[in-house]
Amino acid sequence: MTSTREPLAADPAAGPVRQGALVGRRPSVPTERLLAELVPPRHFADASFDSYVPDAGFPTQAASVARLRKAADQIAGGGKGLFRRRAEPVAVYLDGGFGVGKTHLLTSLAHAVGDAAYGTFVEYTNLVGALGFLPTVEALATRRLVCIDEFELDDPGDTVLMSRLLRELADRGVALAATSNTLPGSLGEGRFAADDFLREIQALASRFEVLRVDGEDYRHRSLVTDADGLPEDVVVAATATRPDATLDDFSALLDHLATVHPSRYGALLDGVGLVGLTGVHAVPTQDVALRLVVLVDRLYDRDVPVLLGGAGERELFSAEMLAGGYRKKYYRALSRLGSLAADGSALLG
């Protein structure tokens, strides 16, 4: 379960790339890398059931650990390939708010099983787009377990695609595990006409055993995630002292993200150890906000600290966005960005 890293390939038509900036980078990501990177993120490289400490105030946490330990034993004992048992495969769904440790538990399950593919929902849809549907099924069907983090359906096409993909994998005896902030029967709610796709959504829901994980956002327990931004000169000076740091104007970065496919946002961060952003402000529209969410997820996966100038995290997403169908994505992004901003501020001494 190792990940390969390849150097960025610059787009000759884009002109010279200023060293130390994300803007201008146009990573080339071959399909082999997409497959190789279906592993738990670096942030959870050492995650295990033993390192997850259940909160005694929320019994569902300990209950989920116990059930997942049993699931790991079931999956590991189920055989592989032609020798895989034909009994109904394990399919578990971790539902809970952001920051309660769902990803920790999912990566722990992946580590315990060993032979697992691990990715976010968007990474699997990107994989289908890159390889085609049947080659994706064939590639994933060689694994004992397929883990899907942050399972949230954003459009009807993705609903049908993921339902079909999971059906094919389950029919081949592959175990499934997923996390989300939304119960499987409510996927897509508030984002598209879910009634039109109720059959697909119910088919998805029926495949999973739901494990509720209650609790508080652990990232909020020791830090505030709506802090004001840092002085701009501090951000500039701090990034100038590190060869692995990047410095970008926030508006320019948002514009650049629109020119890079989200499946390449991880590669965009190759070799980056610190991200500095000046002029941070409220994102203007939902499409821009959703691209920023994906970037924050990739930063968090890689434990890349950030330095936020301008307005910082405060009012990054509008009240309307935080009340809409994507609100759980935005709150998760704020939670993760706050953690990374705290790491960045700690570097300033």
Side-chain angles (χ1 to χ4, degrees):
M1 296 176 66
T2 57
S3 173
T4 59
R5 297 288 181 185
E6 299 188 6
L8 293 172
D11 181 354
V17 177
R18 183 172 71 83
Q19 185 176 5
L22 296 177
V23 170
R25 292 187 174 197
R26 299 186 184 280
S28 175
V29 183
T31 55
E32 295 80 6
R33 175 168 173 172
L34 291 176
L35 285 169
E37 292 191 336
L38 288 177
V39 296
R42 183 193 313 167
H43 185 81
F44 295 97
D46 299 321
S48 69
F49 295 131
D50 289 337
S51 64
Y52 182 87
V53 181
D55 188 328
F58 299 96
T60 56
Q61 294 187 8
S64 294
V65 172
R67 176 64 185 99
L68 291 176
R69 285 184 185 274
K70 182 178 178 181
D73 291 339
Q74 290 177 271
I75 297 167
K80 284 190 64 177
L82 294 175
F83 302 100
R84 183 175 281 146
R85 294 177 186 171
R86 290 304 170 187
E88 187 71 19
V90 172
V92 292
Y93 191 102
L94 302 175
D95 173 69
F98 49 88
V100 298
K102 301 188 305 299
T103 299
H104 185 134
L105 291 172
L106 188 65
T107 52
S108 298
L109 178 63
H111 289 314
V113 171
D115 184 26
Y118 187 103
T120 62
F121 178 84
V122 70
E123 286 174 317
Y124 286 111
T125 56
N126 289 337
L127 187 66
V128 173
L131 297 183
F133 183 80
L134 288 179
T136 299
V137 172
E138 294 296 334
L140 295 178
T142 63
R143 307 296 184 92
R144 293 180 188 270
L145 170 67
V146 168
C147 297
I148 309 158
D149 200 11
E150 296 301 340
F151 200 136
E152 295 186 17
L153 304 181
D154 299 334
D155 62 61
D158 285 346
T159 307
V160 176
L161 173 65
M162 191 55 70
S163 177
R164 183 184 171 201
L165 179 64
L166 296 186
R167 181 169 62 249
E168 291 280 349
L169 293 174
D171 288 346
R172 297 179 186 224
V174 179
L176 306 171
T179 74
S180 180
N181 301 316
T182 306
L183 285 169
S186 301
L187 289 169
E189 200 170 74
R191 282 167 289 187
F192 57 82
D195 289 345
D196 294 341
F197 297 88
L198 189 58
R199 182 175 61 185
E200 293 291 348
I201 293 171
Q202 288 177 335
L204 281 173
S206 67
R207 293 188 177 275
F208 289 99
E209 171 189 354
V210 177
L211 303 180
R212 178 69 189 178
V213 186
D214 298 304
E216 300 174 355
D217 180 359
Y218 74 91
R219 288 182 290 264
H220 284 180
R221 293 172 188 169
S222 60
L223 53 96
V224 177
T225 61
D226 61 352
D228 291 323
L230 297 167
E232 303 273 283
D233 58 335
V234 171
V235 176
V236 173
T239 54
T241 63
R242 292 183 48 150
D244 64 343
T246 60
L247 177 65
D248 290 275
D249 172 75
F250 188 61
S251 292
L253 178 61
L254 294 181
D255 290 342
H256 182 60
L257 291 180
T259 70
V260 180
H261 193 277
S263 66
R264 301 181 178 184
Y265 285 8
L268 192 68
L269 300 170
D270 280 355
V272 176
L274 175 67
V275 167
L277 297 174
T278 58
V280 177
H281 56 77
V283 292
T285 58
Q286 192 122 262
D287 58 332
V288 176
L290 291 172
R291 285 193 289 267
L292 179 61
V293 166
V294 176
L295 180 64
V296 170
D297 285 342
R298 300 292 80 78
L299 287 166
Y300 188 76
D301 289 346
R302 290 158 174 75
D303 285 327
V304 179
V306 300
L307 299 173
L308 303 177
E313 302 152 66
R314 191 177 299 279
E315 299 179 1
L316 189 61
F317 303 116
S318 69
E320 181 180 3
M321 290 178 182
L322 293 177
Y326 296 102
R327 59 190 178 278
K328 292 173 182 176
K329 285 190 175 186
Y330 297 144
Y331 278 117
R332 183 186 78 239
L334 288 173
S335 174
R336 292 182 165 185
L337 188 59
S339 178
L340 297 175
D343 293 341
S345 295
L347 296 175
L348 302 177

